[in-house]
Amino acid sequence: MNFNRNRRLRTSQSVRDLVRETTLTTNDFVLPIFVMEGSGKKEPIASMPGVFRHSLDLLKEEIKDLYKHGIKAVNVYVKVSDNLKDNTGKESWNPDGLMQAAIKLIKDTEPNMIVMPDVALDPYSVYGHDGIIEKGEVINDATVDALVRMSLSHAEAGADFVAPSDMMDGRTFAIRQAFEENGFTNIGIISYAAKYASAFYGPFRSALDSAPVDNQEIPKDKKTYQMDFANSREAIREVLDDVDEGADIIMIKPGMPNLDIVAKVREIITQPIAVYQVSGEYAMLKAASQNGWLDNDKVILESLHSIKRAGADLIFTYFAKEASLLLNK
């Protein structure tokens, strides 16, 4: 005879709290932030309700507010002027560039804020691709050289980690080697190891105006370097390669569509795993909440718990500030 009654452990909120397997805190969050040129500017991003681009002067107050609410890490993106874009991405390693200025401002404003600038060429590319284009193709090795220069400029500006999101082969090792040779041995690398070519990135690309341009001479999408979302074993191979190349933290992106990948990777590596709850995930939950179809607060926390439960150690999410307020209640 079996006397098991699993509901005994669900009889009250206190009991449920006592046996809860997954705990979510503000220490788990990294907030992606968007920086723009100019002053006194705070522009809403239409496809991402509640998310803004900040000019540097207003970014300072935003950083203070984030840290006050328990957000201790930011992932930085910049929207640069079209006249600074070309096919080399050289503006990305300009020591006086917008990204470098943002890194310095954040560290000056709140030295304990962990700064993780994005490393990819698409915000600086006239073609909207993450790499350099030659003969209609995104070429790998010349792009890696540019990414190394970009990463070194971020380290010199004061970044704590760099976050290469480009999916070029060998860039993690090249960046790590450059850091070692230039005295940046304590700068971490968050490698986007399993980044899928996903339709969930749409709102982000509109936020930075970084989608591939409509031109027959270049690839129409990013499928020659970002992964096929139908593949699983390939993700494992990519992750293990980046671990061997010196990545400190492994990124899986997007988040909720790939929780099976998160769980598989968690079983085979000991490095921390980051998961990116991307713009499309944010936008669809926000849109449904604003239409009254979902409970905003509940779906935020449920979605973040599901990512943590799958094996994430840290979560890049546009909900970071809102979730911190809910958790601090």
Side-chain angles (χ1 to χ4, degrees):
M1 183 177 294
N2 187 333
F3 291 104
N4 288 344
R5 291 183 182 270
N6 294 327
R7 290 179 57 191
R8 279 192 289 262
L9 297 181
R10 307 171 196 150
T11 54
S12 70
Q13 186 62 53
S14 294
V15 172
R16 293 191 293 271
D17 290 344
L18 189 66
V19 298
R20 172 161 280 196
E21 299 174 21
T22 303
T23 302
L24 192 68
T25 77
T26 54
N27 292 330
D28 299 318
F29 302 145
V30 178
L31 178 67
I33 58 173
F34 299 107
V35 183
M36 63 184 300
E37 295 170 331
S39 62
K41 293 183 178 180
K42 182 180 179 180
E43 290 185 354
I45 298 170
S47 56
M48 301 173 67
V51 179
F52 300 86
R53 304 181 196 93
H54 291 85
S55 56
L56 287 174
D57 54 331
L58 298 186
L59 178 64
K60 185 172 184 177
E61 295 307 312
E62 179 69 8
I63 293 299
K64 290 179 181 178
D65 189 56
L66 292 173
Y67 198 77
K68 180 181 69 177
H69 287 96
I71 305 301
K72 299 175 183 175
V74 290
N75 175 217
V76 188
Y77 299 87
V78 294
K79 186 177 188 298
V80 299
S81 299
D82 287 344
N83 66 313
L84 297 175
K85 298 180 181 183
D86 61 15
N87 189 35
T88 70
K90 64 180 182 295
E91 177 62 22
S92 70
W93 60 83
N94 177 1
D96 299 315
L98 182 59
M99 177 66 86
Q100 291 74 8
I103 295 168
K104 293 173 184 176
L105 180 143
I106 295 169
K107 295 304 289 187
D108 287 344
T109 301
E110 182 44 70
N112 292 319
M113 181 68 80
I114 300 169
V115 182
M116 304 173 171
D118 180 63
V119 174
L121 295 186
D122 52 328
Y124 306 93
S125 168
V126 70
Y127 297 121
H129 271 284
D130 291 27
I132 296 169
I133 304 285
E134 285 188 8
K135 297 179 180 179
E137 296 183 5
V138 177
I139 57 172
N140 194 91
D141 295 357
T143 297
V144 169
D145 291 341
L147 298 173
V148 168
R149 298 182 72 172
M150 184 178 182
S151 298
L152 285 171
S153 77
H154 293 176
E156 290 165 355
D160 300 285
F161 288 81
V162 294
S165 62
D166 55 283
M167 289 297 288
M168 298 298 123
D169 291 330
R171 93 285 209 212
T172 300
F173 177 78
I175 294 169
R176 174 55 64 209
Q177 184 177 43
F179 282 173
E180 293 291 324
E181 292 174 352
N182 288 274
F184 296 116
T185 56
N186 290 328
I187 306 298
I189 299 175
I190 301 176
S191 173
Y192 287 56
K195 181 180 181 181
Y196 287 92
S198 173
F200 284 94
Y201 302 148
F204 172 90
R205 289 176 181 165
S206 66
L208 290 184
D209 189 23
S210 63
V213 299
D214 186 10
N215 186 324
Q216 291 184 343
E217 302 300 318
I218 66 166
K220 64 180 181 179
D221 53 40
K222 302 186 177 185
K223 293 180 179 179
T224 64
Y225 45 101
Q226 294 177 359
M227 286 178 47
D228 183 345
F229 60 72
N231 292 354
S232 173
R233 295 190 301 274
E234 182 184 7
I236 303 301
R237 184 167 68 248
E238 289 277 7
V239 166
L240 293 178
D241 282 350
D242 280 9
V243 168
D244 287 343
E245 291 180 19
D248 300 283
I249 299 173
I250 291 296
M251 172 70 82
I252 297 169
K253 180 181 182 181
M256 292 173 66
N258 298 299
L259 296 185
D260 61 319
I261 306 300
V262 179
K264 289 178 180 179
V265 171
R266 178 72 290 160
E267 293 179 355
I268 63 172
I269 70 170
T270 58
Q271 285 76 11
I273 296 174
V275 172
Y276 204 131
Q277 188 181 44
V278 300
S279 60
E281 298 173 69
Y282 175 90
M284 67 182 183
L285 292 179
K286 272 296 179 187
S289 298
Q290 290 179 342
N291 276 285
W293 300 332
L294 293 173
D295 183 304
N296 180 76
D297 296 356
K298 290 179 180 178
V299 294
I300 288 174
L301 293 182
E302 183 176 342
S303 66
L304 294 171
H305 272 94
S306 73
I307 294 170
K308 186 80 182 291
R309 187 185 69 231
D313 297 286
L314 55 157
I315 305 170
F316 285 52
T317 176
Y318 301 97
F319 287 122
K321 187 174 179 180
E322 198 169 354
S324 72
L325 294 171
L326 293 173
L327 292 172
N328 288 333
K329 284 182 179 179

